[in-house]
Amino acid sequence: MIEFYNVTYGVDKTPILNNISLRIVKGEFVYLAGASGAGKSTVLSLIYMENLPDEGTVIIDRYSTAKIKQKEIPLLRRRVGVVFQDFRLLMDRTVFENVAFPLRVIGTKSKDIKRKVFRVLAEVNLSHVRNADPAKLSGGEKQRVAIARAVINNPFIVLADEPTGNLDDDSALEIMSIFEKINRQGTAVLMATHNQSLIQRFPHRNLYLNKGYLIKP
Amino acid sequence: MIEFYNVTYGVDKTPILNNISLRIVKGEFVYLAGASGAGKSTVLSLIYMENLPDEGTVIIDRYSTAKIKQKEIPLLRRRVGVVFQDFRLLMDRTVFENVAFPLRVIGTKSKDIKRKVFRVLAEVNLSHVRNADPAKLSGGEKQRVAIARAVINNPFIVLADEPTGNLDDDSALEIMSIFEKINRQGTAVLMATHNQSLIQRFPHRNLYLNKGYLIKP
Amino acid sequence: MTFWFTLKEGLKGFKRARLATSISIVSVAFALLLLGLFMVFTANVDRLIGDLRSRIELEVFLEPVIEQSVGMKIASEIALMEGVSDTRFISKADAANRFEKQFGRNIYEVLDTNPLPPSVIIHINEGYRKAASVREIAGRIAAIDGVDEVAYQEDLLQVIDKYIHIVYLISGAFGGILLVIAFILLHNTIRLTILARKDIIQIMKLVGAKEAFIRRPFIVEGLLQGLIGGIIANALLWMAVALSRHYFFEAVVFPYIFFAVLVIVGVLIGIISSKMSVSKYLKAVL
Amino acid sequence: MTFWFTLKEGLKGFKRARLATSISIVSVAFALLLLGLFMVFTANVDRLIGDLRSRIELEVFLEPVIEQSVGMKIASEIALMEGVSDTRFISKADAANRFEKQFGRNIYEVLDTNPLPPSVIIHINEGYRKAASVREIAGRIAAIDGVDEVAYQEDLLQVIDKYIHIVYLISGAFGGILLVIAFILLHNTIRLTILARKDIIQIMKLVGAKEAFIRRPFIVEGLLQGLIGGIIANALLWMAVALSRHYFFEAVVFPYIFFAVLVIVGVLIGIISSKMSVSKYLKAVL
Ligand SMILES: Nc1ncnc2c1ncn2[C@@H]1O[C@H](COP(=O)(O)OP(=O)(O)OP(=O)(O)O)[C@@H](O)[C@H]1O
Ligand SMILES: Nc1ncnc2c1ncn2[C@@H]1O[C@H](COP(=O)(O)OP(=O)(O)OP(=O)(O)O)[C@@H](O)[C@H]1O
Ligand SMILES: [Mg+2]
Ligand SMILES: [Mg+2]
């Protein structure tokens, strides 16, 4: 369902990823570990196609970087939920509208939007700040808004870039249980993380990146 | 050296901090723990005086919120290094210039700036990206730039808001050893963090916040 | 559904970027006001030139010995000719009065008889106030029995004919420059308001919004900026016209179509600029 | 040291916000061009009115029986009077020629003798071309022996005197409105370029920079925007003047001081706007 074939990617002749091949099947839960600057966020960016590989092919669902048309990219992204490392919230609207945005994009009815957003906000413990300005939230609260937005649209895979980095251990456990739950419902999860204790507590397949190379386990 | 006397702070009638009293002495290393949204970042903001208490007094070095003049605040801030949770890098200039900024502010000579910045960048392992655009760095790299900027000016205290949130364990250990080192040199450190394993590995006094209240140990 | 969502989003864009949008509206209003002032100015210059042309008169000198009644018959004959709007008969006595005015002496002081010829002063219809047509009319009149000579300020007419082009050219060039300037100013302002939101545009794209979906509310916002700016410009322009009617000329010309022109120009620039700017940032990220 | 750092920072600001700054410079240039065009326009209208006034002439009719030599003596006597710039003597023969031109007939065809008086045409010095002064001069001339009557277009003079105020008032009002518009447009553009960097300003403040330290490079940047915009405006204005000299009037007036005025206005607005906007965001955070 997600396949990398000998993917190489660089910026300005600096290689960032070298000859990466990997496969994530439907409904799998996979960690992406590696030191700071190893290329984890870059791997994720190739999946939601913010970046395209210099060499090799990335295949996501029925889309291949070899032949995807530019106007198909939004359709791909609606099926992939992303928790960005720097959150990338829409700072010009409320928490509610941030979470609702992926539903607005596909033209969901207002009533359904309201119902779904309320449910997801409750799951991440943010019901009380739904009308707040995201800029004023604490780091962990922003992170949870990003998570809510990533899962609202029932994607087939959620890419989570360090989704517990700004969370205390209790909140991190809660968030992990949310990811476990959506994973049990059939959604694949690819989580870039440094949190070794989480990896040990919730064991799943682990991809390890080192300076742009995928290390065989 | 840092003293909170019955400090209360809120926004729009929502209380965020309630009746906080604490003291951090010269050269101490103190953790500030607590769940997401407990008010850790807000406590730090009262120290560098982005926010002023609604009630009570905060005394930092020779400045008291009761009588500090607005134009003295920059002077205070030059003595307090802050690693912001969201980094707050100057996105319009290079990594080098970001780290150099606190020195420019006090009019340090270019030659000295170069020497000092190079040394600090080497300590946080960022020498190779010194001319990069901060927006393009990985999460952990941005965090290390923020740390470098906080310590460049030999502050008497460094406030670090979740400074290892985006770092893998190895990098986190390295960063911790940097903080330990500057602490040994006499700089106080107040670190808001969720990372229990770090707290256990490097034991120091721990302040615990819960929903805006400081819990007595 | 989508239409209303788009409109609502466009309106919300105002609130979301309140400062930028209000700065932009003020700029739009003032650039359009400028354009409006120039249009009013041009309309008034045009009216003035029309006035000048309407003052053209031909003086037809008749034979000095002609009977007054015959002269008046010739005058009414001329009045019926194509291109002539009206005629006025100047008798020998009227001519003597004019002589005195012009030379400061009564002609009867110097002479016993009045040697001055009677004449007919004629005005020309609007469509015929050009050197060529007037010359043609003068020729036809000169052929009438009893007419001695036809005099008119041919050189003035030629000057008007010649300079009118220059006046219109200058007005046109100035108006063109002004339109370009107003366009550039509005366009730049709207670009800057969207530049301030380029992150938002890029995030929307990364979260799966199609380009059209992102673009539409911004276009609506640009349209509304142009519309509101146009309305404010109209109000200011109307005040300026009312003030100048009160203090300077009551006769300031102000075609109400200008109101529509300003609003339309504002709305078009708003739409085009928003669309161009948003597209730029949409292209900046994959 | 600090001066050079500030200047360098201001220059770097250009590179750091290249798009915003270039949009702003273009806006500044065009708003100033506008102002320049208007100043040129006004200067030319002023020249034109001066021209019109310089055409004022008085015609002094002498006694018809006077000797030509006496008439010429009177003419040179008048030429020496205060306010008179030059005189031209029209003999009886010249008057006869003028009669023929005006009435279409040779005066000797009708009469044996020439009854037309000789006259003196006089022009007035620049400072005296007002209805009151001219009336006073005419009075003094009328008192001279041998002068029969003094004729001039008093009504034309009164019209110029009356309307000149209105023309200057309108020009002044229009110029004032234009200055306000140009100011608002520039100010808004520069505000928007700084709005796009408000985060930077706030971060600087949080890291211990004093307000003046943050403000200075932005002010330098605003100054440079105004300066560059002014220079571009001057180049465009000079092109416009050169083109209109080539295609329309060779005599287009263009005082070179305008170059300086545009640059100074641009620089002032750049400085003031930057300063105001930065201060706003400096106050937004403690
Ligand atoms: N657009 C870019 N231009 C230049 N260098 C880039 C760009 N994007 C990423 N890099 C570099 O590529 C390397 C990998 O970046 P990436 O963000 O993928 O790391 P990461 O594994 O996510 O690290 P972290 O754990 O710190 O977030 C980094 O050294 C980064 O500086
Ligand atoms: N300017 C503000 N306006 C409204 N609410 C605010 C503002 N600043 C902070 N808050 C709220 O105050 C609470 C405490 O925020 P703070 O950032 O101090 O938490 P924190 O302990 O740092 O959390 P985290 O670990 O998630 O960073 C949060 O619920 C936050 O939403
Ligand atoms: Mg990363
Ligand atoms: Mg925080």
Side-chain angles (χ1 to χ4, degrees):
Chain A
M1 199 183 51
I2 289 189
E3 289 160 302
F4 278 51
Y5 292 103
N6 301 87
V7 169
T8 296
Y9 175 77
V11 174
D12 305 331
K13 290 184 184 146
T14 321
I16 297 177
L17 296 178
N18 300 293
N19 200 34
I20 305 275
S21 293
L22 61 85
R23 163 177 299 205
I24 295 167
V25 300
K26 201 159 175 298
E28 217 183 344
F29 196 127
V30 180
Y31 291 115
L32 185 59
S36 172
K40 301 181 294 297
S41 301
T42 307
V43 167
L44 300 185
S45 76
L46 289 166
I47 297 176
Y48 59 84
M49 296 193 187
E50 183 180 4
N51 295 312
L52 295 177
D54 295 335
E55 284 167 42
T57 316
V58 176
I59 295 174
I60 314 295
D61 199 23
R62 28 196 208 83
Y63 303 102
S64 155
T65 53
K67 39 182 200 266
I68 192 167
K69 294 195 200 83
Q70 205 170 317
K71 59 179 194 177
E72 291 174 324
I73 292 181
L75 303 178
L76 161 68
R77 288 179 184 160
R78 292 173 193 183
R79 313 233 39 230
V80 177
V82 188
V83 182
F84 296 96
Q85 193 168 12
D86 51 0
F87 318 135
R88 304 209 188 171
L89 301 179
L90 300 164
M91 289 301 182
D92 63 346
R93 57 201 76 197
T94 61
V95 167
F96 180 96
E97 280 303 328
N98 267 276
V99 177
F101 192 78
L103 298 176
R104 302 256 183 236
V105 161
I106 56 171
T108 308
K109 286 209 196 72
S110 285
K111 223 178 55 187
D112 295 344
I113 288 179
K114 207 159 178 173
R115 191 171 43 77
K116 288 188 185 178
V117 173
F118 274 53
R119 205 189 55 223
V120 173
L121 282 178
E123 276 188 61
V124 295
N125 277 326
L126 285 179
S127 300
H128 57 295
V129 294
R130 63 174 173 274
N131 295 319
D133 170 359
K136 295 189 174 149
L137 296 182
S138 80
E141 287 163 346
K142 282 183 198 149
Q143 198 153 49
R144 284 178 277 156
V145 176
I147 292 168
R149 184 179 64 186
V151 301
I152 188 84
N153 205 5
N154 296 318
F156 72 81
I157 186 167
V158 174
L159 310 176
D161 200 349
E162 200 63 48
T164 59
N166 286 280
L167 295 178
D168 56 293
D169 288 359
D170 290 349
S171 307
L173 285 181
E174 265 176 57
I175 293 300
M176 274 310 284
S177 62
I178 295 173
F179 281 120
E180 291 280 331
K181 190 173 136 201
I182 64 165
N183 179 241
R184 274 195 302 276
Q185 288 161 1
T187 306
V189 175
L190 176 59
M191 186 182 294
T193 187
H194 308 117
N195 195 324
Q196 283 300 330
S197 64
L198 278 187
I199 295 181
Q200 275 147 30
R201 190 148 173 178
F202 301 90
H204 294 289
R205 180 155 73 99
N206 195 351
L207 297 170
Y208 187 77
L209 268 180
N210 184 16
K211 294 183 181 161
Y213 291 93
L214 200 58
I215 307 299
K216 291 274 175 295
Chain B
M1 200 184 50
I2 290 189
E3 288 159 302
F4 279 51
Y5 293 104
N6 301 88
V7 169
T8 297
Y9 176 76
V11 174
D12 305 333
K13 290 181 185 148
T14 321
I16 296 177
L17 296 178
N18 301 294
N19 200 34
I20 304 274
S21 294
L22 61 83
R23 163 178 300 206
I24 295 169
V25 298
K26 198 157 177 300
E28 218 185 343
F29 196 127
V30 181
Y31 291 116
L32 184 59
S36 172
K40 301 181 294 297
S41 301
T42 307
V43 167
L44 301 185
S45 75
L46 289 166
I47 297 176
Y48 58 84
M49 297 195 188
E50 183 180 6
N51 296 312
L52 295 178
D54 295 334
E55 286 166 41
T57 316
V58 176
I59 295 175
I60 314 295
D61 200 22
R62 32 197 205 83
Y63 303 102
S64 155
T65 53
K67 38 181 200 266
I68 192 167
K69 294 197 200 82
Q70 205 170 316
K71 58 178 196 180
E72 292 175 324
I73 293 180
L75 304 178
L76 160 68
R77 288 182 182 156
R78 291 174 194 182
R79 314 232 39 228
V80 177
V82 188
V83 183
F84 297 95
Q85 194 169 11
D86 51 359
F87 319 136
R88 305 209 188 170
L89 301 179
L90 299 165
M91 289 303 182
D92 63 346
R93 58 201 75 196
T94 61
V95 167
F96 180 95
E97 281 302 328
N98 267 276
V99 177
F101 192 79
L103 298 176
R104 301 259 183 234
V105 160
I106 56 171
T108 308
K109 286 210 195 70
S110 285
K111 223 178 55 189
D112 296 343
I113 289 179
K114 207 159 178 172
R115 191 171 43 75
K116 288 188 184 176
V117 173
F118 274 52
R119 204 190 55 221
V120 173
L121 282 177
E123 277 187 61
V124 295
N125 275 325
L126 285 179
S127 301
H128 59 294
V129 294
R130 63 175 173 275
N131 295 320
D133 170 0
K136 294 188 175 148
L137 297 182
S138 80
E141 287 162 348
K142 282 181 199 152
Q143 198 152 49
R144 283 177 278 156
V145 177
I147 292 168
R149 184 180 63 186
V151 302
I152 189 83
N153 206 4
N154 296 319
F156 72 81
I157 186 167
V158 173
L159 309 177
D161 200 349
E162 200 63 50
T164 60
N166 286 279
L167 295 177
D168 58 291
D169 288 358
D170 291 347
S171 308
L173 285 181
E174 265 175 58
I175 292 301
M176 274 309 284
S177 61
I178 294 173
F179 281 119
E180 292 279 333
K181 188 173 141 203
I182 64 166
N183 180 239
R184 274 195 302 276
Q185 289 160 2
T187 307
V189 176
L190 176 59
M191 186 182 293
T193 185
H194 308 117
N195 195 326
Q196 284 302 329
S197 65
L198 277 189
I199 295 181
Q200 275 147 29
R201 189 148 175 178
F202 301 91
H204 294 291
R205 181 154 73 99
N206 195 351
L207 297 171
Y208 188 76
L209 268 181
N210 185 17
K211 293 183 181 160
Y213 291 91
L214 200 58
I215 306 297
K216 293 272 172 300
Chain C
M1 174 64 206
T2 319
F3 171 75
W4 287 113
F5 175 71
T6 304
L7 191 65
K8 257 167 51 188
E9 278 292 294
L11 279 168
K12 280 187 199 158
F14 268 47
K15 274 217 320 241
R16 284 175 190 145
R18 201 167 324 167
L19 181 66
T21 321
S22 48
I23 292 175
S24 178
I25 288 177
V26 171
S27 288
V28 170
F30 279 91
L32 290 176
L33 170 61
L34 195 72
L35 202 66
L37 284 172
F38 177 73
M39 294 194 308
V40 170
F41 175 78
T42 311
N44 281 279
V45 167
D46 193 52
R47 210 264 323 250
L48 230 76
I49 290 173
D51 258 26
L52 208 65
R53 280 189 191 279
S54 74
R55 297 234 174 97
I56 296 166
E57 36 179 55
L58 276 66
E59 184 157 13
V60 180
F61 293 103
L62 305 180
E63 309 279 349
V65 294
I66 218 158
E67 291 281 317
Q68 173 138 348
S69 63
V70 178
M72 287 173 83
K73 246 183 67 188
I74 294 176
S76 38
E77 192 181 329
I78 292 173
L80 294 172
M81 288 174 67
E82 195 197 330
V84 173
S85 95
D86 60 79
T87 61
R88 187 157 56 89
F89 181 71
I90 308 282
S91 64
K92 288 174 80 82
D94 296 335
N97 284 336
R98 283 169 81 207
F99 177 86
E100 189 175 354
K101 268 198 196 131
Q102 199 119 43
F103 293 96
R105 312 200 61 199
N106 190 322
I107 198 158
Y108 295 105
E109 273 179 33
V110 241
L111 303 166
D112 300 330
T113 62
N114 177 353
L116 299 170
S119 62
V120 182
I121 290 183
I122 73 175
H123 290 111
I124 299 297
N125 268 333
E126 217 180 321
Y128 295 85
R129 289 168 189 161
K130 288 182 208 103
S133 332
V134 172
R135 195 179 311 120
E136 197 262 339
I137 293 171
R140 273 188 288 137
I141 294 172
I144 295 173
D145 248 8
V147 169
D148 185 9
E149 203 182 341
V150 182
Y152 65 95
Q153 292 185 274
E154 182 157 13
D155 42 348
L156 174 67
L157 255 181
Q158 280 169 346
V159 164
I160 294 181
D161 272 14
K162 185 176 155 199
Y163 284 102
I164 194 70
H165 289 299
I166 293 183
V167 169
Y168 282 131
L169 253 169
I170 291 182
S171 294
F174 200 72
I177 292 177
L178 221 90
L179 197 71
V180 170
I181 291 177
F183 181 87
I184 289 174
L185 291 171
L186 298 202
H187 180 64
N188 281 354
T189 313
I190 292 176
R191 273 169 82 190
L192 286 172
T193 67
I194 289 174
L195 169 68
R197 283 180 286 172
K198 73 172 208 274
D199 291 344
I200 305 274
I201 293 171
Q202 296 184 353
I203 293 170
M204 286 179 167
K205 201 167 173 191
L206 290 179
V207 178
K210 287 196 180 164
E211 304 204 345
F213 181 90
I214 300 170
R215 207 186 285 122
R216 253 185 271 123
F218 282 98
I219 292 176
V220 170
E221 215 185 299
L223 185 158
L224 290 174
Q225 277 175 30
L227 186 69
I228 298 175
I231 291 170
I232 296 175
N234 279 338
L236 292 173
L237 186 61
W238 180 244
M239 270 170 52
V241 169
L243 280 178
S244 58
R245 277 188 182 159
H246 188 258
Y247 288 107
F248 306 137
F249 298 117
E250 275 188 41
V252 169
V253 177
F254 184 77
Y256 290 104
I257 184 94
F258 286 2
F259 283 150
V261 171
L262 290 192
V263 168
I264 290 170
V265 169
V267 165
L268 281 181
I269 293 179
I271 291 176
I272 294 170
S273 304
S274 304
K275 193 166 167 171
M276 281 172 57
S277 314
V278 175
S279 299
K280 185 185 162 98
Y281 299 113
L282 282 171
K283 288 210 177 56
V285 77
L286 198 63
Chain D
M1 174 66 203
T2 320
F3 172 76
W4 287 113
F5 174 71
T6 304
L7 190 67
K8 255 168 54 189
E9 278 292 294
L11 279 168
K12 279 187 198 157
F14 269 46
K15 272 217 324 244
R16 286 176 188 144
R18 200 168 325 169
L19 181 66
T21 322
S22 48
I23 292 175
S24 178
I25 288 176
V26 171
S27 289
V28 171
F30 278 92
L32 290 175
L33 170 60
L34 195 73
L35 203 65
L37 285 172
F38 177 74
M39 293 192 310
V40 170
F41 175 78
T42 310
N44 281 278
V45 166
D46 194 52
R47 210 264 323 252
L48 228 77
I49 290 173
D51 258 27
L52 208 66
R53 280 188 192 278
S54 75
R55 296 238 174 93
I56 296 165
E57 35 179 59
L58 275 66
E59 185 157 12
V60 180
F61 293 103
L62 306 179
E63 309 278 352
V65 294
I66 219 157
E67 292 281 321
Q68 175 136 348
S69 63
V70 179
M72 287 173 84
K73 244 182 71 189
I74 294 176
S76 38
E77 189 181 329
I78 292 173
L80 294 172
M81 287 172 69
E82 193 196 332
V84 174
S85 96
D86 60 81
T87 59
R88 187 157 55 90
F89 180 70
I90 309 281
S91 64
K92 287 173 81 79
D94 298 334
N97 284 336
R98 282 168 83 205
F99 178 87
E100 188 173 355
K101 265 195 201 138
Q102 198 119 44
F103 293 95
R105 310 200 62 196
N106 189 322
I107 198 157
Y108 296 104
E109 272 179 37
V110 242
L111 303 165
D112 299 330
T113 62
N114 177 353
L116 299 171
S119 62
V120 183
I121 290 183
I122 73 177
H123 290 112
I124 299 298
N125 266 334
E126 217 178 323
Y128 296 85
R129 291 169 189 159
K130 288 184 209 102
S133 332
V134 172
R135 194 178 313 119
E136 198 262 338
I137 293 171
R140 273 189 285 137
I141 294 174
I144 295 173
D145 249 6
V147 169
D148 186 6
E149 202 182 342
V150 181
Y152 64 96
Q153 292 185 274
E154 181 158 15
D155 42 350
L156 174 68
L157 255 180
Q158 279 169 347
V159 163
I160 293 181
D161 271 14
K162 185 175 156 199
Y163 284 101
I164 195 70
H165 289 300
I166 293 183
V167 169
Y168 282 131
L169 253 169
I170 291 182
S171 294
F174 201 74
I177 292 177
L178 220 92
L179 195 72
V180 170
I181 291 179
F183 181 87
I184 289 175
L185 291 170
L186 299 201
H187 181 63
N188 281 353
T189 313
I190 292 175
R191 272 168 84 189
L192 285 172
T193 66
I194 289 174
L195 169 67
R197 284 180 284 171
K198 72 172 207 276
D199 291 345
I200 306 273
I201 293 171
Q202 296 183 354
I203 292 171
M204 286 178 168
K205 202 168 170 188
L206 289 179
V207 178
K210 287 198 181 163
E211 305 205 344
F213 181 89
I214 300 171
R215 208 187 284 123
R216 254 184 271 124
F218 281 97
I219 292 176
V220 170
E221 215 186 298
L223 185 157
L224 290 174
Q225 277 174 29
L227 186 70
I228 299 175
I231 291 171
I232 296 175
N234 279 337
L236 292 173
L237 186 63
W238 179 245
M239 270 171 53
V241 169
L243 280 177
S244 58
R245 276 187 183 160
H246 188 256
Y247 288 107
F248 307 136
F249 298 116
E250 275 189 40
V252 169
V253 177
F254 183 78
Y256 290 104
I257 184 95
F258 287 1
F259 283 150
V261 171
L262 290 191
V263 168
I264 290 170
V265 169
V267 165
L268 280 181
I269 293 181
I271 291 176
I272 295 170
S273 304
S274 304
K275 193 167 168 171
M276 281 173 58
S277 313
V278 174
S279 299
K280 183 186 163 97
Y281 298 114
L282 282 171
K283 288 212 177 54
V285 78
L286 199 63

